[in-house]
Amino acid sequence: MDAMLTFFVLIGIIALGMIISVGNERQRRALEDIRKQIEGWAAEDIRMKRARAAGEIHVDDPKHWITSTASRVFGTLVPVENVSVWENNNVKALVATSNGRTLVLTPVPPERFIPANQVDGKKHNRLTGPVVTLLGKNPRKVPVYECSVLTHGAFFDLEARSLWQNLTGESLEFDRMWLYDVPRQ
């Protein structure tokens, strides 16, 4: 009799565990569905806000915008003094100076920008020594930071397009930019 009672209690405990497990799985799926719905709603909300703001976003002060972008990258205020457009080998960049520091902002990925930065393809000259380019003597060692909507806010790409259009007269086709922190020469 004790063996049968033990057997039924054991069967009851196993059945209760299975019922709880099935209930937990159903609850997990329901919570997962709710999470997906919330993510979809949030993404659609951001798309609607971006669509409304797309025509209204204009960057009127390039110094302020680049100051804001650089300050987010470095975590400290980086006041930009002037901004100019640089072009070499059909590659453009914005060059900003800040307290003797040179910042280069470009939509061109580093693997294309660094080779385009070289002067006439020369790396050095026997008489004058290494050729100093926009990124300095060692362009591959210059710290580079990727800027995108993930790191700089939901409207970063729209603001970058507006700024690029204002300064270069060309439309920007990229959704991210790279910021080079060129060391002092």
Side-chain angles (χ1 to χ4, degrees):
M1 187 80 157
D2 285 338
M4 247 167 75
L5 183 60
T6 305
F7 176 73
F8 285 124
V9 169
L10 188 60
I11 294 289
I13 291 173
I14 291 173
L16 185 61
M18 289 176 50
I19 290 171
I20 290 172
S21 179
V22 168
N24 286 345
E25 180 61 24
R26 285 180 56 206
Q27 192 173 32
R28 185 197 63 77
R29 275 186 268 150
L31 289 173
E32 181 70 19
D33 289 343
I34 290 170
R35 185 188 62 77
K36 285 180 182 178
Q37 288 175 2
I38 290 172
E39 283 179 358
W41 175 82
E44 187 61 31
D45 186 49
I46 289 173
R47 277 190 214 105
M48 288 173 43
K49 286 178 182 175
R50 284 175 51 88
R52 263 187 266 133
E56 300 172 7
I57 291 181
H58 298 287
V59 178
D60 297 324
D61 185 5
K63 291 179 193 176
H64 175 71
W65 189 84
I66 294 175
T67 295
S68 164
T69 299
S71 296
R72 283 187 177 184
V73 168
F74 301 119
T76 182
L77 182 64
V78 181
V80 171
E81 296 159 1
N82 64 18
V83 178
S84 61
V85 178
W86 174 89
E87 182 175 6
N88 189 28
N89 297 330
N90 294 325
V91 173
K92 289 187 179 182
L94 303 178
V95 179
T97 56
S98 172
N99 297 331
R101 182 183 211 170
T102 302
L103 303 173
V104 178
L105 190 64
T106 182
V108 181
E111 55 273 4
R112 282 191 37 228
F113 185 72
I114 292 173
N117 184 40
Q118 295 177 357
V119 179
D120 298 329
K122 297 179 182 176
K123 292 185 180 175
H124 68 280
N125 182 327
R126 286 187 176 191
L127 298 175
T128 61
V131 174
V132 178
T133 63
L134 178 64
L135 296 179
K137 293 179 183 178
N138 296 318
R140 297 202 186 279
K141 293 185 180 179
V142 173
V144 61
Y145 305 91
E146 185 176 334
C147 305
S148 69
V149 294
L150 296 176
T151 58
H152 288 76
F155 300 111
F156 173 80
D157 58 335
L158 300 175
E159 294 168 347
R161 285 184 186 129
S162 173
L163 175 74
W164 193 261
Q165 179 73 37
N166 290 345
L167 294 178
T168 67
E170 296 178 357
S171 62
L172 184 63
E173 301 300 324
F174 296 98
D175 60 348
R176 65 193 70 222
M177 295 184 87
W178 285 267
L179 179 70
Y180 294 85
D181 184 16
V182 182
R184 292 186 176 123
Q185 303 301 320

